[in-house]
Amino acid sequence: MSCISHCRFIGLMAAAVVTVSCADSSTSPLTSVTAPARASASRGVSDFVAPASIGWQEQARTLVGANKLSPLAAARVYAAVSVAQYQAVAAIDDHGKDGELRENGVGAGGRSALEAQRGAVAGASAQVLSFFFPAAAASLEQLVETEGNATPGNVNPQFTRGLATGRSAGDNMVARLRADHFTAPFTGTVPVGPGLWIANGPPAGATFGGVTPYFLTSGDQFRPAPPPAFGSTAYLTDLHEIRALSDGRTPAQLAIALYWNFPTGTFTPPGYWDRAASDYIVAHALDERAATRTFALTNAAQMDALIGCFDAKYTYWMIRPPQADPGITLTFPVPNHPSYPSAHSCVSAAAATVLGAIFPDRTAELNGWVTEAGLSRMYAGIHYRFDITAGRNLGEAVGRWALAHANRIDPVIARPRHHDSGEDN
C-alpha cells in the first residue's frame, strides 16, 4: 500500500478509534443500522444498497470497543455474529413471492427477498449481540423495530418471516457459545526456567486453544514446530534484531507499532479485518448473501487462527524479547501471554487469505497489510521475527482450510414454511 493511501487510512481508522474509545461502556451506545448506505458499484449497478449486515457489523465493532473487550473476546463476537447472519440468510428462501432477487437487491421482483434477508440479518444479529451485551438488549430490539419500519408502509411480512429465521439462527449460535469452552478456567501452573515466558499475574488466554473451532478439527491441527532453542544462534540472531530495532526505533516505526496495536477499548485487531471486509463488500457491491458469507468466512477463520495460535503459545511458553533482554524498550506494555507465535500475524494472515480469495484484485494490498502488522510487533519490541513467520504460516494454513471447508458453517436450522401453501421455501 502506498504511503499516501496508508496515511489516509490511518486517519480514518484513528477517527473511528477515538469515537469508540470515548463510548460509555455502561450504556453501550448503539449506532444506527438504518441510515442510508450507498456506494458506487464496481459492477455497474447504479443504485446499489449496502447489505444490512454492513450496519450490524459496525454495531458489533462499536459494542466491542465500548465494552472494552479483549481481542480474544472480540474475535468470538465477530465470528458468532457473522456465522449466525450467514446461516440465517442462507436458510431463508432466496426467491420471494414477487419473483427472483435482482443483482442489486432492489426494484421490481426483489422486494420480498430483500425484506426477508434484512429481517434475517436483524434477527440473528440482535439475538447474538444481546447474549454478549445484555445491557444493550433493549436498545438492540429497538434497532430491529426501526429496521422493520425502514421501508414505506407497514412492516413487510417477508421481513417478519426473515426475522423469525434470523432469531432461530441466533438462538442456535447462542447455544453453541454456551458450550464452546471459552470460559474454561486455567488450572495448570506456569512453568519457570531459562527461555520460558514470565507471567504478570494470571496468564491471558491460557485455555483459548481448547475453544471449539468453526473449521479446524482441533486447536493443534496446524501447530507450528518449536521455536529456536533459547540461547541458540538462530534465537540470538532474532533477539539481537529486536534489540537493534529498539535502540534505533524511527518515528515511522513507532507510528506503525502504535497504529496496529488496537488495544482494549477499540474494535481490536480482529475488528480491523472485519472493517476491511466491510469496505470490500461495499466497493464490490456484494449482495446480502455474498456479504454475510464473506463476513462469516473471514471472522470464523480469524477465530480459528487465534485458537491455533494460543494452543501453540501455551505449548511452547516462549519468553518475550524484553524479558530476555531488559534493554529492549517498549512502545506499550507486553501482552500477558507467551511470545510464540504472534497473534497479530495469525489473525492477519487468516483474514487476508480468505479476503484475497474472495477479492483477488486486493491481494497485493492485503499482503502488504499482513506484512506491516507483523513488523509492527517487532517495532514495538514485543515479538521476534520467528514469531511473525510462524504466525503468518499458521494463519495462512487456517485461511486455506476455512475456504476448503466452508460448508462447515452452512445453515443447520430448518427453513420456515409458506403459510399459504405449506411447502418448504
Side-chain angles (χ1 to χ4, degrees), residues 137-338:
S139 297
L140 289 164
E141 287 304 315
Q142 181 60 52
L143 289 178
V144 172
E145 183 178 344
T146 302
E147 185 87 341
N149 290 317
T151 53
N154 296 327
V155 177
N156 190 288
Q158 294 302 314
F159 180 90
T160 303
R161 177 176 75 90
L163 183 63
T165 298
R167 291 197 189 279
S168 179
D171 288 343
N172 284 348
M173 178 55 68
V174 168
R176 182 190 191 281
L177 293 168
R178 294 186 187 279
D180 70 355
H181 308 294
F182 178 79
T183 59
F186 175 64
T187 58
T189 57
V190 178
V192 296
L196 295 177
W197 168 71
I198 303 167
N200 181 21
T207 63
F208 196 78
V211 172
T212 303
Y214 287 91
F215 300 111
L216 299 184
T217 58
S218 64
D220 63 357
Q221 182 176 348
F222 294 111
R223 181 185 291 169
F230 182 69
S232 67
T233 300
Y235 171 80
L236 291 175
T237 296
D238 281 16
L239 176 63
H240 294 159
E241 179 183 24
I242 303 307
R243 175 61 186 267
L245 287 170
S246 167
D247 290 345
R249 187 181 290 123
T250 67
Q253 291 171 339
L254 175 60
I256 290 172
L258 293 174
Y259 168 70
W260 280 100
N261 190 32
F262 297 115
T264 298
T266 70
F267 49 45
T268 75
Y272 173 92
W273 295 99
D274 179 80
R275 177 163 172 163
S278 181
D279 290 344
Y280 286 174
I281 286 166
V282 173
H284 290 74
L286 298 192
D287 63 21
E288 194 73 75
R289 182 156 182 167
T292 55
R293 183 177 184 274
T294 297
F295 281 127
L297 286 172
T298 302
N299 286 315
Q302 287 195 90
M303 178 71 173
D304 280 16
L306 281 174
I307 291 171
C309 184
F310 275 75
D311 165 83
K313 282 179 179 290
Y314 287 102
T315 294
Y316 299 120
W317 300 88
M318 189 69 200
I319 192 169
R320 291 275 184 172
Q323 295 175 332
D325 180 355
I328 294 173
T329 60
L330 301 172
T331 59
F332 43 76
V334 178
N336 192 33
H337 47 75

